[in-house]
Amino acid sequence: MLTLFSLGNCCHCHRSRLVLAEKGLEAEVVYVSAANPPAEFVDAVPGRQLPALIDRELLVYNDRVIIEYLDERYPHPGLLANDPAGRARQRMALHRLETDLYGCLPRLSRQDKDEREAARNMLERHLLAAAEVISAKPFFLGDSFSLLDATLAPILWRLSHYGIELPAAARAVLDYAGRMFVRPAFQRSLSPVEREMNDLGSMPTSAE
């Protein structure tokens, strides 16, 4: 049995849960309160990093390491390309998503209103810039679900929570988000807190 220690409202944790769900892996998801972590988490994860995965005697932490480990350890369905060049391109795109989108997340929770607004504007600009690329394929840069989709979808689920309304020019992003959200694995990946963030399909644009 796999065990994933996870926060209930965290994109990094969410994408780890989403990869587990897409692969159909049976796992015990233990939601951890940072203020009052359970003893089993403290004992199993000395550094208290989240998310953290236990697979038999192996402890894996850092969400990027976790999702790539899961894809290699449990290869069906594969969520990275089969060839080295394809995997390299996907990993470069993953790095870009982590830098441009996930890099905005800490500032979205700051107390300073101007800093939060700047982070929202930056996140919106990055998504708008990606609209043309997103519209080119059924999935992000591909014809099947990959680690790229597992990374992008948790961000999109939280747009309303972040107070972001995408412009009409980003319709391709919203259409893509809708396709991701109705996937059974995505629904299984949601924590109780995340389910309350967004009504399925409720992704308004500023033009509506």
Side-chain angles (χ1 to χ4, degrees):
M1 174 70 75
L2 294 162
T3 300
L4 181 71
F5 294 103
S6 174
L7 292 169
N9 175 17
C10 168
C11 281
H12 298 275
C13 295
H14 190 177
R15 74 166 170 169
S16 302
R17 284 183 265 116
L18 182 50
V19 169
L20 284 171
E22 283 287 343
K23 287 184 169 289
L25 295 172
E26 294 292 333
E28 179 187 10
V29 177
V30 179
Y31 290 106
V32 175
S33 166
N36 187 26
E40 61 178 313
F41 168 69
V42 174
D43 293 341
V45 188
R48 301 195 184 186
Q49 300 94 336
L50 287 166
L53 178 77
I54 305 292
D55 187 2
R56 299 179 177 87
E57 301 301 317
L58 177 66
L59 165 65
V60 186
Y61 56 86
N62 181 292
D63 53 314
R64 176 69 176 276
V65 178
I66 288 171
I67 62 176
E68 292 206 23
Y69 168 77
L70 288 171
D71 198 47
E72 293 176 358
R73 176 70 178 83
Y74 303 96
H76 303 292
L79 301 183
L80 281 176
N82 293 324
D83 62 294
R87 288 196 298 274
R89 285 191 290 268
Q90 288 177 318
R91 284 176 171 135
M92 286 188 289
L94 274 172
H95 176 72
R96 185 68 179 269
L97 289 174
E98 291 164 346
T99 300
D100 290 351
L101 304 185
Y102 280 59
C104 293
L105 298 182
R107 297 171 63 197
L108 287 167
S109 60
R110 298 281 171 82
Q111 291 187 347
D112 186 272
K113 180 180 178 182
D114 292 338
E115 195 165 3
R116 292 198 308 272
E117 184 63 23
R120 281 194 292 267
N121 290 338
M122 182 175 293
L123 184 55
E124 181 180 319
R125 287 197 300 271
H126 285 314
L127 290 173
L128 185 58
E132 184 175 354
V133 173
I134 288 174
S135 68
K137 295 281 187 177
F139 296 89
F140 191 66
L141 296 180
D143 295 316
S144 60
F145 190 95
S146 75
L147 296 185
L148 295 170
D149 303 292
T151 299
L152 181 54
I155 289 273
L156 298 179
W157 182 256
R158 289 161 166 77
L159 290 185
S160 296
H161 176 72
Y162 296 145
I164 294 174
E165 291 188 352
L166 293 177
R171 172 54 62 184
V173 179
L174 302 178
D175 291 344
Y176 164 87
R179 295 196 300 274
M180 296 303 105
F181 297 166
V182 297
R183 292 177 67 83
F186 186 87
Q187 289 298 303
R188 290 196 302 273
S189 75
L190 293 169
S191 72
V193 173
E194 288 161 350
R195 288 188 181 280
E196 296 178 357
M197 285 182 178
N198 186 7
D199 293 329
L200 187 59
S202 177
M203 295 283 292
T205 71
S206 59
E208 293 178 338

